Amino acid sequence: MSDALAGIDDIDWAELKHAYGTAEDVPGMLRDLYRSEKAADAAEDLLVHVYHQGGAVCSAAPVALPYVLGAAADPAIDPAVRRELLELVGSLAYTANTADPRFVTDAWPAAWDLAVSDLLPLLHDPAPTSRIAAADALAEARHRADEVIAALRARWVVEPDQEARAQLIDGVGWLVPHADPQCEDSLDWLRQLMQGAEPAARLVAVRALRRALPGQDDSAYARTVSEVLFGSEPATWEPGGGVSKSTVVWAIGLLGGDRVIRADAIRRLLTHAHPFVRGGALQAAADMLGRRRSAVTELLPAVARLLSDADPDNRLFAARVLGMCGHAARPWADALAAMATDEAEPYLAAQSHAIWALSRLGDARCVPPLVRRLSGERLGFSYHSVHAEGWGTYELSLTEVGAGLGAHADVLLPPLRARLTAARTLDARRALCQLLESWGAAAALAIPDLIDLLDTDAAVWALDALAAIGPAAAEAVPQERLRGLLDAPPEGQPFAPRCLALAYGRLTGDRQPALELQLPQLGEPYGQGNTATLLGELGPAGAPYVARLRELLPVHEEGWLPLRAAEALWKITGRADEIVPVLVRAIAPFAERGGAYRAITETVKLLAEIGAPAAPAEPVLRAFLEADERPVPHGTWRSVPEDDELCDAARAALLAISGDGPALPCGCDGEGAPTG
């Protein structure tokens, strides 16, 4: 160990920096790598401090690099620790290649060049995990691409481990664009591998070629992938053997951008004998449906057939995809209704998704099973909404399932009120209040239960629900009780005073408490949007704040602030001429690049409210509707519901624009003066 750490005390670590400040603690971490009981924690600490989350290579990194590599090459250190150290090296090298150069220390290139020489021998390390991680790190050695490619290919000839063989192929693919004499020969080598007999290597070679030649599609790629997927056993597709859903999704992605070829492959794989392959095809179908509107007719019938799959997780996922697609799933409503019963579907999670899918369709057959769930011990729905990317089959939230069922409140309220009374956690009370809030006036029978919650930690959400119910709730709640709540909000909830004051104003019409809390935020960097919303709710009475709202209008070109400021000005003044150009500028980029988030949809809804004066938005609105690629974020089941909502809003706006005149806010004459 002494040789490995030679010179470590001669370095002025205090002058070096890592993500958390001075690097004085790095020598201790490096020493701990040689203490078996501390090595794993030390490797983790180095990753967190020296690499952190990427985006920069700090001054401590090049100085620590040779010591990290020394430990990574030491066979006496646990293989898992050695792999983590090599992954740290690869992460730093990747960051140096991709980050803004001003965030990469000047000392890195020289240190990295020396590190490459130390990494090359590790391609022959006895531990496969070290060979894999070394090959991965070497893929970042762009300045020595030809030398490293030669080393990777030489190792491939003798490499026995399939995962390592795949990493060697990948490394060549990453480096080919930076090579010179090795470039053409290596491309030919990858093409030969693509035509070889080993299915996993063929797929990895396609991936490597796509990386080496970005934007240069070749029909041989899709042909190779199809031959592997439909001409070999699934256990041979993944390096190292086995089969997983993620492997299927990855392989389908290698088919390229041809929509017809990809859809055809997915349909065929949805009938595969192996349940994991069908499951992977379901995920690929969901991703394609979430990206392209045309995929609904191409894939949804094939997905629907898996509602009766032998594998329960596949039945669940098929129901999830149909629920995601909303009204497009109406032809399979009867199958979903049967699936929502114990007799037809013993798997509770699959039942839950069928209930959700029916609720998305507006099909009343979701109500009886939801009543049973609300009345029973096992709800089967979460009290939290999950917004994670990907296709995980986590529980859907109660609000997501029930928010659109206000028309059935008379049936749903008795068990819901009983569950609210019995709720023992804030999560449960909050979720049930939010569901009642979504029903508005239809939830009036729950007013006594909500009043009881005003003395609890759920007061914020109870008052929101009461405000949504409206006049009936305002008559039922004593004013002095509400004022007492404003004076003594729940402890431990710093957001409570503002939220309570806002809901109090909506319920009673007395906006003064909210104004006192919110107006100071107009001068703060954040929070102006909330204040603008409040000022808009004042209507014409908000006229004294028009000048300040106009100052906020140009602060950001897109997002929530221009929307909230414009909406407030519209409600106060009734003038469209000053806000429509701002709103059009805010939404126009998303018609071209996609990624329209919630604020964009809400902006389109405001344009519908404005009506004929919003005519300049017409080309953008039509672009939203005419696109095949959904102009919303992709990659989750929310993509289709969000796209549906955007389209509904765009259609409503176009209809309003084609009307006879502007849709003036109630109580305005177009100049901001009250009428009547």
Side-chain angles (χ1 to χ4, degrees):
M1 182 178 79
S2 58
D3 290 342
L5 297 174
I8 195 170
D9 292 326
D10 298 330
I11 298 168
D12 189 355
W13 293 97
E15 290 298 312
L16 301 172
K17 302 292 183 184
H18 57 46
Y20 292 93
T22 177
E24 289 176 295
D25 50 358
V26 169
M29 300 176 197
L30 296 171
R31 288 190 173 93
D32 282 346
L33 294 173
Y34 294 91
R35 300 182 175 102
S36 58
E37 73 281 4
K38 295 184 176 182
D41 288 341
E44 177 68 20
D45 287 342
L46 284 165
L47 180 69
V48 170
H49 288 73
V50 179
Y51 172 67
H52 194 51
Q53 296 177 344
V57 178
C58 53
S59 58
V63 181
L65 187 60
Y67 296 106
V68 170
L69 279 169
D74 191 333
I77 292 178
D78 183 88
V81 173
R82 297 174 64 203
R83 178 169 190 165
E84 186 166 358
L85 293 173
L86 288 169
E87 289 172 348
L88 165 60
V89 173
S91 297
L92 288 169
Y94 172 80
T95 299
N97 283 336
T98 56
D100 189 318
R102 61 200 171 107
F103 297 127
V104 179
T105 179
D106 292 341
W108 175 259
W112 172 232
D113 187 56
L114 293 173
V116 171
S117 300
D118 291 333
L119 281 167
L120 287 168
L122 292 178
L123 291 174
H124 308 282
D125 192 276
T129 53
S130 291
R131 299 198 299 272
I132 292 167
D136 186 39
L138 284 166
E140 300 299 331
R142 300 175 180 179
H143 67 300
R144 293 168 63 173
D146 291 288
E147 175 190 1
V148 174
I149 286 175
L152 296 174
R153 290 178 56 183
R155 177 63 203 180
W156 192 87
V157 175
V158 297
E159 177 56 61
D161 183 85
Q162 276 200 320
E163 188 179 348
R165 286 165 70 83
Q167 191 64 63
L168 294 165
I169 298 170
D170 264 335
V172 173
W174 282 117
L175 289 170
V176 160
H178 309 283
D180 189 7
Q182 287 279 355
C183 181
E184 290 303 321
D185 186 57
S186 293
L187 289 172
D188 289 342
W189 179 71
L190 291 172
R191 293 186 183 106
Q192 291 169 13
L193 289 178
M194 187 176 66
Q195 303 303 326
E198 186 180 324
R202 296 183 71 187
L203 292 176
V204 176
V206 171
R207 177 170 65 185
L209 282 163
R210 288 196 179 281
R211 285 174 175 166
L213 300 168
Q216 300 182 40
D217 204 0
D218 187 326
S219 60
Y221 300 160
R223 185 168 60 250
T224 298
V225 175
S226 295
E227 288 173 359
V228 170
L229 292 179
F230 303 111
S232 60
E233 289 299 314
T236 65
W237 300 349
E238 187 172 3
V243 60
S244 68
K245 296 175 185 178
S246 60
T247 301
V248 178
V249 175
W250 163 68
I252 291 172
L254 294 175
L255 288 166
D258 189 301
R259 179 177 54 79
V260 175
I261 291 175
R262 188 178 291 218
D264 180 64
I266 292 172
R267 282 194 299 270
R268 292 174 65 187
L269 290 172
L270 284 170
T271 65
H272 198 280
H274 199 297
F276 273 22
V277 175
R278 298 196 300 277
L282 277 170
Q283 291 188 17
D287 186 72
M288 194 167 176
L289 286 161
R291 290 177 182 274
R292 296 198 172 274
R293 295 166 181 165
S294 57
V296 171
T297 56
E298 296 169 337
L299 293 176
L300 205 56
V303 169
R305 285 192 282 272
L306 270 70
L307 289 174
S308 58
D309 194 86
D311 184 271
D313 286 326
N314 286 346
R315 297 197 301 273
L316 181 159
F317 203 95
R320 191 181 189 90
V321 175
L322 264 67
M324 173 182 84
C325 291
H327 287 281
R330 187 166 295 283
W332 301 279
D334 289 346
L336 290 166
M339 194 175 179
T341 65
D342 291 334
E343 295 76 19
E345 178 52 72
Y347 187 27
L348 188 70
Q351 270 190 41
S352 299
H353 280 75
I355 294 170
W356 169 68
L358 289 169
S359 75
R360 285 268 296 142
L361 288 172
D363 192 310
R365 286 176 288 182
C366 70
V367 176
L370 185 55
V371 167
R372 290 194 295 273
R373 294 295 188 86
L374 288 167
S375 304
E377 293 183 4
R378 176 69 195 276
L379 180 61
F381 300 108
S382 170
Y383 287 133
H384 288 284
S385 295
V386 177
H387 292 265
E389 293 184 0
W391 302 103
T393 51
Y394 46 79
E395 282 188 336
L396 296 159
S397 79
L398 179 61
T399 305
E400 288 163 345
V401 175
L405 300 177
H408 305 281
D410 57 334
V411 179
L412 291 167
L413 273 172
L416 191 152
R417 292 178 65 190
R419 183 171 282 271
L420 182 59
T421 300
R424 294 293 177 264
T425 67
L426 175 59
D427 285 347
R429 291 191 287 268
R430 174 174 50 210
L432 294 165
C433 287
Q434 288 172 334
L435 181 55
L436 292 169
E437 180 187 357
S438 71
W439 292 349
L445 288 176
I447 289 173
D449 310 283
L450 294 168
I451 292 175
D452 288 343
L453 290 176
L454 293 178
D455 295 324
T456 73
D457 55 359
V460 166
W461 299 278
L463 191 55
D464 281 342
L466 289 166
I469 291 171
E475 292 177 7
V477 187
Q479 288 274 338
E480 60 274 12
R481 186 167 185 184
L482 294 177
R483 292 297 309 197
L485 181 60
L486 297 187
D487 295 335
E491 295 181 358
Q493 298 178 357
F495 55 86
R498 288 190 176 92
C499 292
L500 290 169
L502 187 60
Y504 169 83
R506 290 169 175 166
L507 184 64
T508 66
D510 179 6
R511 305 284 183 170
Q512 193 56 38
L515 287 170
E516 290 174 359
L517 290 171
Q518 295 279 12
L519 281 177
Q521 288 196 307
L522 279 178
E524 298 295 325
Y526 305 104
Q528 306 103 316
N530 295 329
T531 307
T533 297
L534 171 62
L535 296 178
E537 291 179 2
L538 296 176
Y545 307 103
V546 163
R548 298 180 74 178
L549 287 167
R550 284 175 176 149
E551 291 175 1
L552 292 179
L553 208 54
V555 170
H556 297 297
E557 291 187 356
E558 58 189 47
W560 287 105
L561 185 57
L563 165 63
R564 295 306 185 207
E567 184 177 35
L569 285 167
W570 166 247
K571 290 179 177 179
I572 294 169
T573 70
R575 287 183 52 189
D577 58 316
E578 63 180 340
I579 64 170
V580 167
V582 173
L583 298 176
V584 174
R585 282 197 302 272
I587 66 173
F590 295 90
E592 297 181 7
R593 71 179 188 228
Y597 49 96
R598 186 82 200 162
I600 305 306
T601 300
E602 293 299 318
T603 300
V604 174
K605 290 180 180 179
L606 178 57
L607 291 167
E609 184 181 337
I610 292 170
E618 189 170 352
V620 179
L621 298 172
R622 294 195 182 282
F624 281 139
L625 293 173
E626 293 166 0
D628 181 42
E629 183 172 349
R630 301 184 191 275
V632 296
H634 303 146
T636 78
W637 68 263
R638 298 178 188 277
S639 299
V640 180
E642 289 174 357
D643 184 46
D644 288 346
E645 187 176 6
L646 175 61
C647 287
D648 288 345
R651 292 189 192 96
L654 288 169
L655 185 63
I657 288 169
S658 67
D660 295 328
L664 290 177
C666 181
C668 288
D669 65 2
E671 296 298 328
T675 59

